[in-house]
Amino acid sequence: MLTENYEKKGYLIQQFKVFRLKDHLGKIPFHYHEFHKIILFISGKVDYIIEGKSYPLVPRDIIFVSAGEIHRPIADERVAYERIVIYISLDFLDCYNRTGEKLSDCFLLARNRSSVMHLNPGKTHDILYHMEKLENNAYQQGFANELYTEILFIEFMILLNRALLSHEIDDMHIAVYDKKILPILQYINKNLFEELTIDALAEKFYMSRFYMMRRFKKATGYSIHQYIVNKRLLCSQNMLASDIPLTKICFDCGFHDYSTFSRAFKELFKQTPKQYRKKHYLNSREENR
């Protein structure tokens, strides 16, 4: 999994991280995160690619990148790229779930409508105001500032979800994509735990396997096999934060034997499924006591 150093460093400090960046961005490869990301685009000349769709950004665009979504910004290096970025832990959002109301719903809505939406002047003023207030407050040193920042963040997430549910945010955004590859991506994600072979996909979508593999790699930066395996491993990671038996997780996530699953998991996350569970599941149980 690829990520810039400032991202991982910042993310490890707390359960969410807010900061403003303005730089001349070099070439960033396709990558994904284990956490959600929201970006407010302020200025620059940038196309943002998310799961095979490319969005040409305009100021006041808001970008939703869900955990596990493959993405990549392509910026004109001659023009400074300015944005406010928020990284959000999945576990942190879960702490504030209520019956029928989840702060993470905005990411689900974005996946179903558009990963990039536009904050229109007027109606979305409160969202822009609260996002900038959150960013400005994040590094202050006043009394109970960490708690205050957390309160501002929750307020921002509530306002954002309300705006999306009431369609105050414009989701009519231009998206450019490979019309042959996007249906394959959608099919894979819908049938992620089923038998997915290169030959079967090529036959279903009426393409030669080598032609399909080349176009898929160009659109996503990943081979089809790598894409499927990584998506399955991310799902298994979430399931490991439970008491579901490891072998059941292995088979439920589309792997045929535990040794293959364990090796792939360790290669991606630098620890075995057992080690991951011991670290994360047991810790979460202690916190909930």
Side-chain angles (χ1 to χ4, degrees), residues 56-74:
L57 302 183
V58 297
R60 295 174 66 98
D61 274 352
I62 187 163
I63 303 126
F64 296 86
V65 184
S66 297
E69 287 192 322
I70 291 173
H71 61 281
R72 173 190 178 190
I74 300 178

Side-chain angles (χ1 to χ4, degrees), residues 15 91-92 94-96 241-242 280-289:
Q15 294 280 33
D91 294 337
F92 180 75
D94 288 344
C95 293
Y96 293 92
S242 70
H280 293 270
Y281 175 52
L282 294 181
N283 285 348
S284 66
R285 290 187 65 182
E286 288 293 328
E287 290 171 1
N288 293 327
R289 284 183 178 176

Side-chain angles (χ1 to χ4, degrees), residues 239-250:
M239 294 173 70
L240 285 167
S242 70
D243 57 1
I244 300 172
L246 294 177
T247 52
K248 179 171 173 54
I249 292 174
C250 164

